[in-house]
Amino acid sequence: MRVLVVEDEKKLGELLGRGLREEGYATDVADQGEDALWMARAVPYDAIVLDVMLPRVDGFEVCVQLRGAGIWTPVLMLTARDAVEDRVSGLDVGADDYLTKPFAFEELLARLRALTRRTAVERPPVLTVGDLRLDPGSHRAWRGETEVDLSTKEFALLELFMRRPGIALTRTQLLDGAWDMAFESRSNVVDVYVRYLREKIDRRFGCDSIETVRGVGYRLRTEA
């Protein structure tokens, strides 16, 4: 899952970025509305965490411009203003949810999980493909009844595959979904992590669920 955090308070932005990355989200951070607009146009984010009180172009205007450009990425607005009219204004300009500062990080995570489930195609809270199960909320994965211990990046990569079973994903798509903009791309990093993932979810169980699609990338078999 890839998230854009737009927050002009440097310390808070860094804390949110670090916390989300530790939870397995590929996270980019912007501190200005103008930067958020071009980043949201350039990258297919799964969610945007958007502060209202930004310099020059505020969060309301960012949301208006995103929706006007046909970008319907779920938006969670953050603000220190808790008046009803402020929350109504945010929702009316196209935000999907609203969180008032100060907030518990656990609540932000829960709201992000809920937002990313409410897409054009309903996303179940627990993903299942064949006998593979993955729970983004508890950050746990299983092959059959056996729990599989995955690193943060392995978990993020498996989630990408399980949200698109049977679809060939290019290395670029996998990089975009599991790594953030700060990552210095190496040509073989996706191949390395796919190999790690195969060792943990396939080979130890005698399975072969992640297929190599020559000239394209990788695909998770629908029966896994």
Side-chain angles (χ1 to χ4, degrees), residues 84-101:
V84 172
E85 55 267 30
D86 290 327
R87 297 198 298 272
V88 170
S89 295
L91 296 171
D92 281 347
V93 297
D96 299 273
D97 199 0
Y98 211 97
L99 189 57
T100 304
K101 299 176 182 177

Side-chain angles (χ1 to χ4, degrees), residues 8-26:
D8 69 321
E9 294 181 36
K10 183 177 176 62
K11 186 175 181 180
L12 179 57
E14 290 175 348
L15 285 172
L16 289 175
R18 183 166 63 249
L20 288 169
R21 292 183 192 108
E22 288 174 355
E23 291 295 322
Y25 292 88

